[in-house]
Amino acid sequence: MFDIIVVGGGPAGMTAALYAQRNGKTALVLEKNGFGGQITYSPKVENFPGRVSMSGNEFATDFMEQLEAQGAEYDLEEVTEIVCDGDKRFVKTLEGSVHETKAVIIANGVKHRMLGLEGEYEYVGNGISFCAVCDGDFYKGQTVCVAGGGNSALQEAILLSGKCKEVIMLQDLPTFTGEQKLQDILFSRDNVRKYTNVKILGIIRDEKGGFAGVRTNQGDFACDGLFEAIGLIPENGAFAEHADLNKFGYFDSAEDCTTKTPGIFVAGDCRSKGVRQLTTAVADGATAAIAACRYIDNL
């Protein structure tokens, strides 16, 4: 039996396990895909305090070594259900395991909605990005396309337009759907071009197989990078019995990371929040772990 089971092995989940171990509690991290989360797609991270530069994979590898040194355990399993029985929590997985624990921290993150292009995953972190704050500096003085037309896409493009030679907005709807104020700011800039009713059909490769642009129903657009800003997909439905969801499917939890169910906490991008960055994920992980440790101490 573990004191705390963490669902999700991204930055929030790993931080939660670290803080649990440092507080004298035993922790198990269950991750369905690969440890490190979305940050592993970033070839270079330069906005994390204390590290001048690192790759997302380096961050994940170093973090795993730190967890092992602290005694945390981890396994590749997909959690499908949490069952509460008094002060006990039972975490069931797709692989057939049932893990008993005193507290659960759900830090299962989100998925970036993707375009569904052939070979798309091949270029994630190497031509295709999702975060201008994280990756925008790699495209200074270059041309980028932004797929999307909502607030997120407009905000990404505003940031990119201050760094890039040219920003090409590709919206698949007849109009841009983001706030008019954001549109006014973005489309007043000389280095921004906009297109509507654009369906991105494929990726253009250069002679070496590298990313060189996108093919659409309105022709080819040569560019050095593509930022996809077409939405995030939370996967919280399996846990809705224990934690309320907002209308977008995120856990409706405040900064204290608690839920309506005692002994169950949430952390990271799966939680309703205004900023989703590496730093905010690890902050959530620490907050949730401390709350879980206090809960256990009061049993």
Side-chain angles (χ1 to χ4, degrees):
M1 178 179 179
F2 291 88
D3 292 318
I4 297 173
I5 289 180
V6 181
V7 181
M14 291 194 292
T15 301
L18 175 66
Y19 270 71
Q21 292 287 149
R22 294 289 297 173
N23 275 274
K25 305 295 188 288
T26 56
L28 169 67
V29 183
L30 299 176
E31 164 60 40
K32 68 177 180 180
N33 292 318
F35 288 88
Q38 297 286 346
I39 196 65
T40 59
Y41 292 122
S42 295
K44 186 180 290 186
V45 179
E46 297 179 320
N47 60 352
F48 191 74
R51 297 289 291 270
V52 174
S53 179
M54 61 181 173
S55 72
N57 279 322
E58 287 174 335
F59 175 79
T61 299
D62 290 348
F63 214 149
M64 290 300 294
E65 292 178 357
Q66 187 177 16
L67 285 183
E68 289 177 347
Q70 292 295 329
E73 297 187 32
Y74 52 88
D75 206 348
L76 284 171
E77 293 188 78
E78 180 176 352
V79 175
T80 57
E81 185 182 6
I82 300 171
V83 177
C84 298
D85 183 5
D87 292 335
K88 296 179 180 179
R89 308 284 176 262
F90 297 92
V91 177
K92 299 183 179 182
T93 72
L94 185 64
E95 291 73 16
S97 300
V98 180
H99 302 279
E100 183 178 343
T101 186
K102 299 174 184 176
V104 179
I105 298 173
I106 305 171
N108 56 326
V110 294
K111 293 193 305 182
H112 286 284
R113 195 181 303 277
M114 299 184 72
L115 294 165
L117 306 176
E118 181 179 352
E120 189 172 9
Y121 282 97
E122 174 187 347
Y123 291 99
V124 173
N126 190 28
I128 293 178
S129 299
F130 304 98
C131 176
V133 172
C134 308
D135 301 336
D137 282 348
F138 305 139
Y139 296 95
K140 283 183 177 178
Q142 301 183 57
T143 297
V144 298
C145 288
V146 176
N151 283 347
S152 294
L154 297 173
Q155 289 166 342
E156 295 283 286
I158 288 171
L159 192 152
L160 291 167
S161 67
K163 303 173 182 288
C164 301
K165 179 178 69 175
E166 186 175 34
V167 176
I168 304 170
M169 298 296 297
L170 304 177
Q171 163 70 308
D172 62 350
L173 298 174
T175 62
F176 287 85
T177 57
E179 295 176 6
Q180 189 60 49
K181 183 177 181 180
L182 294 175
Q183 293 189 47
D184 293 341
I185 294 171
L186 178 63
F187 298 138
S188 67
R189 300 187 175 183
D190 294 336
N191 63 335
V192 176
R193 288 192 284 151
K194 62 177 179 177
Y195 298 85
T196 56
N197 292 313
V198 175
K199 174 70 174 178
I200 299 178
L201 303 174
I203 295 170
I204 301 172
R205 303 167 186 256
D206 62 24
E207 63 277 2
K208 296 182 179 180
F211 183 91
V214 293
R215 182 164 290 111
T216 81
N217 63 329
Q218 296 189 27
D220 293 351
F221 291 88
C223 60
D224 301 291
L226 170 66
F227 283 78
E228 298 184 8
I230 55 176
L232 298 169
I233 306 174
E235 300 178 292
N236 297 331
F239 313 112
E241 174 186 354
H242 306 295
D244 291 330
L245 306 182
N246 67 16
K247 64 180 181 179
F248 302 108
Y250 294 97
F251 290 121
D252 196 11
S253 174
E255 297 292 332
D256 61 5
C257 296
T258 59
T259 70
K260 64 182 180 181
T261 305
I264 295 182
F265 306 85
V266 297
D269 287 354
C270 61
R271 185 177 71 79
S272 176
K273 56 200 305 184
V275 178
R276 290 183 171 85
Q277 289 286 299
L278 178 57
T279 48
T280 64
V282 299
D284 270 12
T287 298
I290 292 171
C293 291
R294 289 173 177 167
Y295 166 80
I296 293 171
D297 291 341
N298 290 325
L299 287 178

